[in-house]
Structure formats: structure tokens, C-alpha cells
Amino acid sequence: MTALTDLYQEVILDHNKSPRNFRALEGATHSGIGHNPLCGDQLTLYVVVDGGVIREIGFQGKGCAISKASASLMTEAVKGKTTEEAEALFTRFHDLLTGPPDVKTDAKSFGKLAVFSGVREFPVRVKCATLAWHTLHSALAGGGAAASTE
Ligand code: ZN
């Protein structure tokens, strides 16, 4: 195991143990429910959008370490961004996780989200890592139907 992998592992464990923005939000303008039946991950996402910008974001739920850490890191990554920027980041993040392993990714541009780049070797885990993002996408799109990785 390389030092880089150790570092990644550490970030995921830290965010799993003490997830950031782990709370329901009063006055959320958008919310969504996400479910990954393959692993049993569930989460509810609360978003306050004002003037096209994600001002506040929080989540609650239960699931594996990767799904929780991913939701935690996602909330940190998109807070303060416009909804368009958040959607664009989701697309890039999804590509990072599902792209062929020989494609060099610009890990730096992802900041802490790069910790999930190792997940692409495990397709089942990709669903855990992208669940929060799928839920954000459906919440911003108006919610309604629950987001599912299936
Ligand atoms: Zn999971």
C-alpha cells in the first residue's frame, strides 16, 4: 500500500467517523432521498439554494463508510457553488470514478474528492461513492422520485 493510499484511507475514515454537515436543515428549498439497494446505503439530503447558489447543505442517513464519507465530502465541495458548478463537478467526479484506469486524472483539481479515485477499481463501490451526488442531482432537479443507483 502506498503512502498516497494511506492518506486517502485516512480521509475516508475521518469523514465516516465525523461526517461534516450531518444534520437536517430547517427551511431547505430542495431535498432528496437516495438509496443504494446494492449496499443498503440510504441518505436524505437538504439543500438551501438562494440566487442559484448552494448556501447550505446537510444530510442524514446510514450506510457504509464510503457512502457516508462521500456525502460528507460532497457537502463540503458544493457549498458556496452555483447549482451549475455543482452539477458540472458531479459529471467530472462521475468520470473520475468510472473512467478507464489508464486515463490520468488531474487529482489536484478534485481536492479531497480525489480520495475516491481508487474506488473505480471496484464497480460496486462506485455506487456507494456516487449516491450522494445522484441524490443532489435529483434534489436540484426538483426532487420527487427517490434517487437510486439502480
Ligand atoms: Zn455502500
Side-chain angles (χ1 to χ4, degrees):
M1 192 179 273
T2 66
L4 191 64
T5 316
D6 279 349
L7 175 71
Y8 285 181
Q9 202 98 339
E10 216 167 276
V11 172
I12 290 175
L13 290 177
D14 171 42
H15 278 262
N16 175 50
K17 222 173 82 187
S18 18
R20 319 300 197 267
N21 304 305
F22 192 72
R23 62 179 187 274
L25 287 183
E26 297 273 334
T29 56
H30 297 68
S31 64
I33 293 169
H35 185 212
N36 174 17
L38 222 60
C39 178
D41 310 316
Q42 289 182 342
L43 71 91
T44 307
L45 195 65
Y46 307 88
V47 194
V48 177
V49 178
D50 179 35
V53 174
I54 297 172
R55 304 284 179 194
E56 279 296 336
I57 182 164
F59 77 101
Q60 288 190 312
K62 55 183 165 72
C64 67
I66 290 184
S67 72
K68 252 170 102 175
S70 178
S72 172
L73 283 155
M74 184 216 43
T75 59
E76 283 196 322
V78 301
K79 199 166 163 180
K81 284 192 162 53
T82 66
T83 54
E84 283 86 9
E85 285 167 347
E87 293 279 3
L89 188 57
F90 171 38
T91 305
R92 290 179 56 228
F93 183 68
H94 197 265
D95 288 349
L96 174 75
L97 265 61
T98 57
D102 55 326
V103 170
K104 264 205 130 184
T105 44
D106 181 11
K108 252 191 192 157
S109 72
F110 285 97
K112 281 189 197 162
L113 293 176
V115 300
F116 296 103
S117 60
V119 166
R120 65 179 164 190
E121 287 161 46
F122 311 97
V124 171
R125 288 301 184 188
V126 168
K127 293 173 190 278
C128 302
T130 54
L131 177 64
W133 291 88
H134 282 292
T135 310
L136 174 68
H137 176 72
S138 97
L140 293 179
S148 174
T149 53
E150 293 306 297

